[in-house]
Amino acid sequence: MTDPSSPCDAAHELISSARVEGTPVYDRAGEKLGTLHSVMIHKVSGQVAYALLTFGGFLGVPSRVHPIPWEKLRYDTHRHGYTVDLSRDMLENAPTLSLDAADRPSERGYEEALFGYYGSSMFW
Amino acid sequence: MTDPSSPCDAAHELISSARVEGTPVYDRAGEKLGTLHSVMIHKVSGQVAYALLTFGGFLGVPSRVHPIPWEKLRYDTHRHGYTVDLSRDMLENAPTLSLDAADRPSERGYEEALFGYYGSSMFW
C-alpha cells in the first residue's frame, strides 16, 4: 500500500512500455543528458536490465544509443524523469549500440563489458 | 552467469520494450489466447507490474485489453511466448481497460480490484 503522505503520486508510479520512449534523463546537477530510447526487459522476471539513453543526434536523429544498467537510474518524481550520477564524459566513453541493434538482444560478452564498465552486476 | 547447458539461449533472455508488443500468450494446453499489447513498468524499481493482453478484435483491431499481473505469466523458451494458467472464461470475466486508457497509469482502485481478482499482491 502507498503511504498517502508520500509525494509520489500513486497514479503515476507505472509507465507503459509504449510511453517509455522520451522519458528525460538528468545528471546529478539537473542538466538534461538525453532521453530514454527504450528499455531491455528480462523476459522471465519482468525486471528491466538496462535502459538505452539517446543524446539526440544529427537533426535530432540518433545513430547510437548508450545502454545504462537500470540500477544506475533513480526516478525523480519532481522532474518526472531519471537522474544518473554519471558525467557526460563517462557516458560518452561507455559502450554504445547502433540504433539498428538497440531493439535486439545483445551478445552476452557485450553486456558483460557494459556492466563491467559501470561496475554493475548482471542479475540474469 | 548462465548455465551453458541451459536450453534458454542467453542472447534471447532480454526483450526490448519496443518489441514487447505482439509476444504471444498461451493457455496451459498450449492454445494461443492472444498477444501482449504492452507492459506497465514500475518507474522506480524497473519491475513489470502487469501485462496487457489483447485477444485481437473486430478486423484484428482490439478495443479493450486485459491486464494480467506479471506473476501470472511464465516465459516458455520453446514457444517464445508466455503461458498463463488461466482459462479464457476467467480472462473474459476479468477487469479490462479500453485501449485508449491502456498506455496511461490506472487508478489505484482499479489496480487493487484487478490484482484482487487474480489473487495477486501489488508490490508497489
Side-chain angles (χ1 to χ4, degrees):
Chain A
M1 294 297 149
T2 304
D3 174 1
S5 68
S6 163
C8 181
D9 180 354
H12 296 93
E13 285 188 54
L14 305 179
I15 187 170
S16 168
S17 55
R19 287 199 178 223
V20 159
E21 188 176 339
T23 303
V25 178
Y26 302 93
D27 67 13
R28 199 166 32 168
E31 190 194 349
K32 185 173 169 181
L33 291 167
T35 58
L36 291 190
H37 171 272
S38 52
V39 294
M40 295 297 292
I41 302 167
H42 188 242
K43 289 175 181 173
V44 172
S45 66
Q47 173 66 47
V48 173
Y50 51 92
L52 303 174
L53 174 70
T54 169
F55 293 154
F58 184 67
L59 297 179
V61 181
S63 58
R64 296 189 75 77
V65 291
H66 296 251
I68 303 176
W70 181 261
E71 60 157 15
K72 294 293 180 193
L73 286 85
R74 293 283 171 270
Y75 193 76
D76 183 321
T77 54
H78 297 292
R79 290 196 183 112
H80 301 290
Y82 291 95
T83 299
V84 291
D85 189 10
L86 301 168
S87 67
R88 184 177 284 265
D89 271 0
M90 184 162 185
L91 285 172
E92 286 180 348
N93 291 320
T96 59
L97 283 175
S98 74
L99 201 57
D100 280 355
D103 67 348
R104 292 195 297 271
S106 292
E107 300 281 330
R108 187 82 184 167
Y110 173 84
E111 290 167 343
E112 285 171 353
L114 172 69
F115 276 63
Y117 179 83
Y118 287 110
S120 294
S121 298
M122 295 172 70
F123 64 82
W124 74 103
Chain B
M1 293 298 149
T2 304
D3 174 3
S5 67
S6 161
C8 181
D9 180 351
H12 296 91
E13 286 188 53
L14 304 180
I15 187 169
S16 168
S17 56
R19 287 200 179 222
V20 159
E21 188 176 338
T23 304
V25 178
Y26 302 93
D27 68 13
R28 200 166 32 169
E31 190 194 347
K32 185 174 169 181
L33 291 168
T35 58
L36 291 191
H37 170 272
S38 52
V39 294
M40 295 297 292
I41 301 168
H42 188 241
K43 290 174 181 173
V44 172
S45 65
Q47 172 65 46
V48 173
Y50 50 93
L52 302 173
L53 174 70
T54 170
F55 292 154
F58 182 67
L59 299 178
V61 181
S63 58
R64 298 189 74 77
V65 290
H66 295 250
I68 303 175
W70 182 261
E71 61 157 15
K72 294 293 179 192
L73 286 85
R74 294 282 170 272
Y75 193 76
D76 184 320
T77 55
H78 297 292
R79 290 198 183 110
H80 301 289
Y82 291 95
T83 300
V84 291
D85 189 10
L86 301 168
S87 67
R88 186 177 283 265
D89 272 0
M90 183 161 186
L91 285 172
E92 285 180 348
N93 291 319
T96 60
L97 281 175
S98 74
L99 200 57
D100 279 354
D103 67 348
R104 292 196 297 271
S106 292
E107 300 281 329
R108 187 81 183 169
Y110 173 85
E111 290 166 344
E112 285 171 353
L114 172 70
F115 277 63
Y117 179 83
Y118 286 110
S120 294
S121 299
M122 295 171 71
F123 65 80
W124 75 103

